[in-house]
Amino acid sequence: MANDIIKGLKFHHIGLKCKDLDRSIDFYSNVLGMKKYAAWGEGDERIQMLSIGDGGIFELFAGGGDAYADNGKWIHLAMEADNVDEAFEIAVKGGAEPLIYPKSVPLASEPERMTIRIAFVKGPDGEELEFFKVL
């Protein structure tokens, strides 16, 4: 069933802040079979996207530290949209709090460089929602 308000809206990825990024990459790729999709950054700014296998993406962030010793920290829920700017405007008009206004971000990602269009809002319970599109 298609979304009648935000055209092309679908789940894209969820982000998890990790205490040990390399351990998490190993677990999700070698144990659960997810494939490396894109990676960028260094040190505590490293990010690894993994393809779940059904079109969804699992995004792992380094730098979790001791605050995440017992459990990971979900960062945001990302939804792909045909038009990120329009999705952002609809969400804000509907009462969402703007966090990051729509912007294009070129990534020095591997194995291929890509540019993404993103925007973030806070939902009704303070949850972070991202609208996302690979350009």
Side-chain angles (χ1 to χ4, degrees):
M1 175 179 322
N3 187 314
D4 294 329
I5 296 174
I6 300 176
K7 303 299 181 201
L9 189 69
K10 58 186 172 185
F11 174 78
H12 189 269
H13 71 265
I14 191 162
L16 176 68
K17 192 82 160 178
C18 304
K19 181 177 180 182
D20 183 336
L21 180 63
D22 290 322
R23 185 182 70 193
S24 292
I25 292 170
D26 180 64
F27 175 77
Y28 288 105
S29 61
N30 294 323
V31 176
L32 298 186
M34 296 181 190
K35 305 291 184 211
K36 292 180 179 177
Y37 176 74
W40 61 92
E42 297 178 10
D44 281 351
E45 302 296 317
R46 284 178 54 211
I47 297 171
Q48 174 71 57
M49 285 184 151
L50 301 169
S51 172
I52 294 171
D54 68 348
I57 302 290
F58 196 37
E59 186 176 25
L60 303 175
F61 289 77
D66 290 336
Y68 307 104
D70 294 328
N71 60 352
K73 167 79 169 133
W74 293 107
I75 299 173
H76 60 264
L77 171 64
M79 295 163 284
E80 188 171 354
D82 288 346
N83 186 323
V84 168
D85 299 61
E86 180 181 63
F88 177 83
E89 289 173 21
I90 289 169
V92 171
K93 284 181 185 175
E97 177 186 337
L99 288 177
I100 297 174
Y101 285 80
K103 65 181 181 177
S104 295
V105 180
L107 299 174
S109 54
E110 298 174 4
E112 295 179 17
R113 293 183 181 272
M114 66 180 166
T115 299
I116 58 175
R117 184 83 178 156
I118 59 170
F120 286 82
V121 299
K122 273 192 180 179
D125 291 304
E127 69 276 16
E128 286 192 26
L129 305 174
E130 176 183 6
F131 299 108
F132 180 97
K133 181 176 180 78
V134 175
L135 301 177

PDB file of all heavy atoms in Angstrom, residues 15-20 23-24 28 61 63-75:
ATOM      1  N   GLY A  15      19.976   3.536  12.527  1.00  0.00           N
ATOM      2  CA  GLY A  15      21.352   3.742  12.973  1.00  0.00           C
ATOM      3  C   GLY A  15      21.546   3.291  14.414  1.00  0.00           C
ATOM      4  O   GLY A  15      20.707   3.542  15.265  1.00  0.00           O
ATOM      5  N   LEU A  16      22.662   2.621  14.667  1.00  0.00           N
ATOM      6  CA  LEU A  16      22.991   2.123  16.000  1.00  0.00           C
ATOM      7  C   LEU A  16      24.370   2.634  16.408  1.00  0.00           C
ATOM      8  O   LEU A  16      25.350   2.433  15.689  1.00  0.00           O
ATOM      9  CB  LEU A  16      22.991   0.590  16.014  1.00  0.00           C
ATOM     10  CG  LEU A  16      23.403  -0.081  17.324  1.00  0.00           C
ATOM     11  CD1 LEU A  16      22.355   0.158  18.399  1.00  0.00           C
ATOM     12  CD2 LEU A  16      23.615  -1.570  17.117  1.00  0.00           C
ATOM     13  N   LYS A  17      24.455   3.301  17.562  1.00  0.00           N
ATOM     14  CA  LYS A  17      25.738   3.750  18.121  1.00  0.00           C
ATOM     15  C   LYS A  17      26.368   2.548  18.824  1.00  0.00           C
ATOM     16  O   LYS A  17      25.741   1.924  19.667  1.00  0.00           O
ATOM     17  CB  LYS A  17      25.487   4.886  19.117  1.00  0.00           C
ATOM     18  CG  LYS A  17      26.724   5.603  19.543  1.00  0.00           C
ATOM     19  CD  LYS A  17      27.120   6.636  18.512  1.00  0.00           C
ATOM     20  CE  LYS A  17      28.031   7.670  19.127  1.00  0.00           C
ATOM     21  NZ  LYS A  17      28.449   8.638  18.149  1.00  0.00           N
ATOM     22  N   CYS A  18      27.609   2.219  18.476  1.00  0.00           N
ATOM     23  CA  CYS A  18      28.266   1.004  18.962  1.00  0.00           C
ATOM     24  C   CYS A  18      29.431   1.332  19.889  1.00  0.00           C
ATOM     25  O   CYS A  18      30.183   2.271  19.644  1.00  0.00           O
ATOM     26  CB  CYS A  18      28.826   0.210  17.786  1.00  0.00           C
ATOM     27  SG  CYS A  18      27.629  -0.225  16.542  1.00  0.00           S
ATOM     28  N   LYS A  19      29.608   0.503  20.905  1.00  0.00           N
ATOM     29  CA  LYS A  19      30.770   0.633  21.782  1.00  0.00           C
ATOM     30  C   LYS A  19      32.030   0.182  21.048  1.00  0.00           C
ATOM     31  O   LYS A  19      33.078   0.800  21.166  1.00  0.00           O
ATOM     32  CB  LYS A  19      30.575  -0.186  23.052  1.00  0.00           C
ATOM     33  CG  LYS A  19      31.738  -0.064  24.008  1.00  0.00           C
ATOM     34  CD  LYS A  19      31.525  -0.817  25.287  1.00  0.00           C
ATOM     35  CE  LYS A  19      32.740  -0.635  26.200  1.00  0.00           C
ATOM     36  NZ  LYS A  19      32.612  -1.382  27.427  1.00  0.00           N
ATOM     37  N   ASP A  20      31.927  -0.918  20.301  1.00  0.00           N
ATOM     38  CA  ASP A  20      33.066  -1.466  19.555  1.00  0.00           C
ATOM     39  C   ASP A  20      32.606  -1.690  18.118  1.00  0.00           C
ATOM     40  O   ASP A  20      32.008  -2.721  17.796  1.00  0.00           O
ATOM     41  CB  ASP A  20      33.513  -2.771  20.208  1.00  0.00           C
ATOM     42  CG  ASP A  20      34.726  -3.393  19.552  1.00  0.00           C
ATOM     43  OD1 ASP A  20      34.985  -3.117  18.359  1.00  0.00           O
ATOM     44  OD2 ASP A  20      35.414  -4.182  20.224  1.00  0.00           O
ATOM     45  N   ARG A  23      33.787  -4.922  16.254  1.00  0.00           N
ATOM     46  CA  ARG A  23      33.091  -6.126  16.739  1.00  0.00           C
ATOM     47  C   ARG A  23      31.689  -6.195  16.159  1.00  0.00           C
ATOM     48  O   ARG A  23      31.223  -7.250  15.738  1.00  0.00           O
ATOM     49  CB  ARG A  23      33.050  -6.132  18.266  1.00  0.00           C
ATOM     50  CG  ARG A  23      32.439  -7.419  18.831  1.00  0.00           C
ATOM     51  CD  ARG A  23      32.363  -7.394  20.320  1.00  0.00           C
ATOM     52  NE  ARG A  23      31.334  -6.406  20.685  1.00  0.00           N
ATOM     53  CZ  ARG A  23      31.153  -5.940  21.906  1.00  0.00           C
ATOM     54  NH1 ARG A  23      31.925  -6.321  22.887  1.00  0.00           N
ATOM     55  NH2 ARG A  23      30.197  -5.072  22.151  1.00  0.00           N
ATOM     56  N   SER A  24      31.010  -5.037  16.108  1.00  0.00           N
ATOM     57  CA  SER A  24      29.653  -5.010  15.565  1.00  0.00           C
ATOM     58  C   SER A  24      29.641  -5.310  14.072  1.00  0.00           C
ATOM     59  O   SER A  24      28.798  -6.063  13.588  1.00  0.00           O
ATOM     60  CB  SER A  24      29.000  -3.652  15.836  1.00  0.00           C
ATOM     61  OG  SER A  24      28.777  -3.494  17.217  1.00  0.00           O
ATOM     62  N   TYR A  28      27.525  -8.439  12.561  1.00  0.00           N
ATOM     63  CA  TYR A  28      26.425  -8.268  11.611  1.00  0.00           C
ATOM     64  C   TYR A  28      26.772  -8.753  10.205  1.00  0.00           C
ATOM     65  O   TYR A  28      25.901  -9.230   9.485  1.00  0.00           O
ATOM     66  CB  TYR A  28      25.956  -6.809  11.580  1.00  0.00           C
ATOM     67  CG  TYR A  28      25.199  -6.456  12.830  1.00  0.00           C
ATOM     68  CD1 TYR A  28      25.770  -5.668  13.816  1.00  0.00           C
ATOM     69  CD2 TYR A  28      23.920  -6.958  13.057  1.00  0.00           C
ATOM     70  CE1 TYR A  28      25.085  -5.359  14.985  1.00  0.00           C
ATOM     71  CE2 TYR A  28      23.228  -6.657  14.221  1.00  0.00           C
ATOM     72  CZ  TYR A  28      23.814  -5.861  15.173  1.00  0.00           C
ATOM     73  OH  TYR A  28      23.137  -5.579  16.327  1.00  0.00           O
ATOM     74  N   PHE A  61      27.509   3.190  13.936  1.00  0.00           N
ATOM     75  CA  PHE A  61      28.321   4.364  14.255  1.00  0.00           C
ATOM     76  C   PHE A  61      29.335   4.007  15.337  1.00  0.00           C
ATOM     77  O   PHE A  61      28.974   3.383  16.349  1.00  0.00           O
ATOM     78  CB  PHE A  61      27.444   5.488  14.816  1.00  0.00           C
ATOM     79  CG  PHE A  61      26.551   6.131  13.802  1.00  0.00           C
ATOM     80  CD1 PHE A  61      25.401   5.502  13.371  1.00  0.00           C
ATOM     81  CD2 PHE A  61      26.858   7.385  13.293  1.00  0.00           C
ATOM     82  CE1 PHE A  61      24.565   6.094  12.442  1.00  0.00           C
ATOM     83  CE2 PHE A  61      26.025   7.986  12.363  1.00  0.00           C
ATOM     84  CZ  PHE A  61      24.881   7.342  11.937  1.00  0.00           C
ATOM     85  N   GLY A  63      32.140   5.167  18.396  1.00  0.00           N
ATOM     86  CA  GLY A  63      32.142   6.194  19.439  1.00  0.00           C
ATOM     87  C   GLY A  63      31.097   6.028  20.514  1.00  0.00           C
ATOM     88  O   GLY A  63      30.771   6.994  21.208  1.00  0.00           O
ATOM     89  N   GLY A  64      30.573   4.816  20.696  1.00  0.00           N
ATOM     90  CA  GLY A  64      29.549   4.606  21.717  1.00  0.00           C
ATOM     91  C   GLY A  64      30.075   4.759  23.126  1.00  0.00           C
ATOM     92  O   GLY A  64      29.376   5.241  23.995  1.00  0.00           O
ATOM     93  N   GLY A  65      31.307   4.364  23.378  1.00  0.00           N
ATOM     94  CA  GLY A  65      31.913   4.522  24.694  1.00  0.00           C
ATOM     95  C   GLY A  65      31.213   3.748  25.795  1.00  0.00           C
ATOM     96  O   GLY A  65      30.352   2.909  25.563  1.00  0.00           O
ATOM     97  N   ASP A  66      31.583   4.053  27.044  1.00  0.00           N
ATOM     98  CA  ASP A  66      31.062   3.324  28.196  1.00  0.00           C
ATOM     99  C   ASP A  66      29.578   3.536  28.430  1.00  0.00           C
ATOM    100  O   ASP A  66      28.921   2.711  29.053  1.00  0.00           O
ATOM    101  CB  ASP A  66      31.834   3.716  29.457  1.00  0.00           C
ATOM    102  CG  ASP A  66      33.260   3.182  29.420  1.00  0.00           C
ATOM    103  OD1 ASP A  66      33.492   2.188  28.708  1.00  0.00           O
ATOM    104  OD2 ASP A  66      34.129   3.762  30.093  1.00  0.00           O
ATOM    105  N   ALA A  67      29.020   4.626  27.929  1.00  0.00           N
ATOM    106  CA  ALA A  67      27.592   4.883  28.119  1.00  0.00           C
ATOM    107  C   ALA A  67      26.752   3.801  27.456  1.00  0.00           C
ATOM    108  O   ALA A  67      25.593   3.623  27.795  1.00  0.00           O
ATOM    109  CB  ALA A  67      27.219   6.249  27.545  1.00  0.00           C
ATOM    110  N   TYR A  68      27.350   3.056  26.523  1.00  0.00           N
ATOM    111  CA  TYR A  68      26.627   2.029  25.793  1.00  0.00           C
ATOM    112  C   TYR A  68      27.156   0.634  26.123  1.00  0.00           C
ATOM    113  O   TYR A  68      27.031  -0.275  25.324  1.00  0.00           O
ATOM    114  CB  TYR A  68      26.715   2.299  24.290  1.00  0.00           C
ATOM    115  CG  TYR A  68      26.275   3.695  23.960  1.00  0.00           C
ATOM    116  CD1 TYR A  68      27.197   4.678  23.651  1.00  0.00           C
ATOM    117  CD2 TYR A  68      24.928   4.032  24.001  1.00  0.00           C
ATOM    118  CE1 TYR A  68      26.784   5.972  23.370  1.00  0.00           C
ATOM    119  CE2 TYR A  68      24.517   5.317  23.723  1.00  0.00           C
ATOM    120  CZ  TYR A  68      25.451   6.283  23.410  1.00  0.00           C
ATOM    121  OH  TYR A  68      25.037   7.558  23.137  1.00  0.00           O
ATOM    122  N   ALA A  69      27.743   0.479  27.296  1.00  0.00           N
ATOM    123  CA  ALA A  69      28.374  -0.792  27.650  1.00  0.00           C
ATOM    124  C   ALA A  69      27.364  -1.934  27.714  1.00  0.00           C
ATOM    125  O   ALA A  69      27.669  -3.052  27.335  1.00  0.00           O
ATOM    126  CB  ALA A  69      29.109  -0.665  28.983  1.00  0.00           C
ATOM    127  N   ASP A  70      26.161  -1.686  28.211  1.00  0.00           N
ATOM    128  CA  ASP A  70      25.187  -2.755  28.385  1.00  0.00           C
ATOM    129  C   ASP A  70      24.262  -2.940  27.193  1.00  0.00           C
ATOM    130  O   ASP A  70      23.737  -4.021  26.976  1.00  0.00           O
ATOM    131  CB  ASP A  70      24.347  -2.512  29.644  1.00  0.00           C
ATOM    132  CG  ASP A  70      25.195  -2.598  30.898  1.00  0.00           C
ATOM    133  OD1 ASP A  70      26.166  -3.387  30.906  1.00  0.00           O
ATOM    134  OD2 ASP A  70      24.893  -1.879  31.856  1.00  0.00           O
ATOM    135  N   ASN A  71      24.011  -1.876  26.477  1.00  0.00           N
ATOM    136  CA  ASN A  71      23.178  -1.991  25.281  1.00  0.00           C
ATOM    137  C   ASN A  71      23.542  -0.880  24.312  1.00  0.00           C
ATOM    138  O   ASN A  71      24.065   0.148  24.688  1.00  0.00           O
ATOM    139  CB  ASN A  71      21.680  -1.955  25.620  1.00  0.00           C
ATOM    140  CG  ASN A  71      21.266  -0.666  26.308  1.00  0.00           C
ATOM    141  OD1 ASN A  71      22.111   0.148  26.665  1.00  0.00           O
ATOM    142  ND2 ASN A  71      19.993  -0.481  26.493  1.00  0.00           N
ATOM    143  N   GLY A  72      23.269  -1.123  23.056  1.00  0.00           N
ATOM    144  CA  GLY A  72      23.572  -0.118  22.038  1.00  0.00           C
ATOM    145  C   GLY A  72      22.617   1.053  22.153  1.00  0.00           C
ATOM    146  O   GLY A  72      21.667   1.038  22.925  1.00  0.00           O
ATOM    147  N   LYS A  73      22.863   2.065  21.385  1.00  0.00           N
ATOM    148  CA  LYS A  73      22.031   3.262  21.388  1.00  0.00           C
ATOM    149  C   LYS A  73      21.470   3.450  19.988  1.00  0.00           C
ATOM    150  O   LYS A  73      22.204   3.686  19.040  1.00  0.00           O
ATOM    151  CB  LYS A  73      22.882   4.474  21.797  1.00  0.00           C
ATOM    152  CG  LYS A  73      22.259   5.813  21.546  1.00  0.00           C
ATOM    153  CD  LYS A  73      21.247   6.154  22.597  1.00  0.00           C
ATOM    154  CE  LYS A  73      20.843   7.616  22.453  1.00  0.00           C
ATOM    155  NZ  LYS A  73      19.478   7.860  22.486  1.00  0.00           N
ATOM    156  N   TRP A  74      20.158   3.314  19.875  1.00  0.00           N
ATOM    157  CA  TRP A  74      19.523   3.593  18.588  1.00  0.00           C
ATOM    158  C   TRP A  74      19.582   5.088  18.376  1.00  0.00           C
ATOM    159  O   TRP A  74      19.218   5.865  19.241  1.00  0.00           O
ATOM    160  CB  TRP A  74      18.073   3.106  18.572  1.00  0.00           C
ATOM    161  CG  TRP A  74      17.986   1.618  18.641  1.00  0.00           C
ATOM    162  CD1 TRP A  74      17.602   0.874  19.711  1.00  0.00           C
ATOM    163  CD2 TRP A  74      18.348   0.692  17.625  1.00  0.00           C
ATOM    164  NE1 TRP A  74      17.696  -0.459  19.406  1.00  0.00           N
ATOM    165  CE2 TRP A  74      18.148  -0.601  18.135  1.00  0.00           C
ATOM    166  CE3 TRP A  74      18.825   0.839  16.322  1.00  0.00           C
ATOM    167  CZ2 TRP A  74      18.408  -1.743  17.381  1.00  0.00           C
ATOM    168  CZ3 TRP A  74      19.071  -0.310  15.582  1.00  0.00           C
ATOM    169  CH2 TRP A  74      18.861  -1.578  16.117  1.00  0.00           C
ATOM    170  N   ILE A  75      20.019   5.516  17.212  1.00  0.00           N
ATOM    171  CA  ILE A  75      20.220   6.928  16.935  1.00  0.00           C
ATOM    172  C   ILE A  75      19.028   7.526  16.208  1.00  0.00           C
ATOM    173  O   ILE A  75      18.527   8.564  16.591  1.00  0.00           O
ATOM    174  CB  ILE A  75      21.508   7.133  16.120  1.00  0.00           C
ATOM    175  CG1 ILE A  75      22.697   6.625  16.923  1.00  0.00           C
ATOM    176  CG2 ILE A  75      21.688   8.597  15.768  1.00  0.00           C
ATOM    177  CD1 ILE A  75      23.984   6.613  16.156  1.00  0.00           C
TER     178      ILE A  75
END
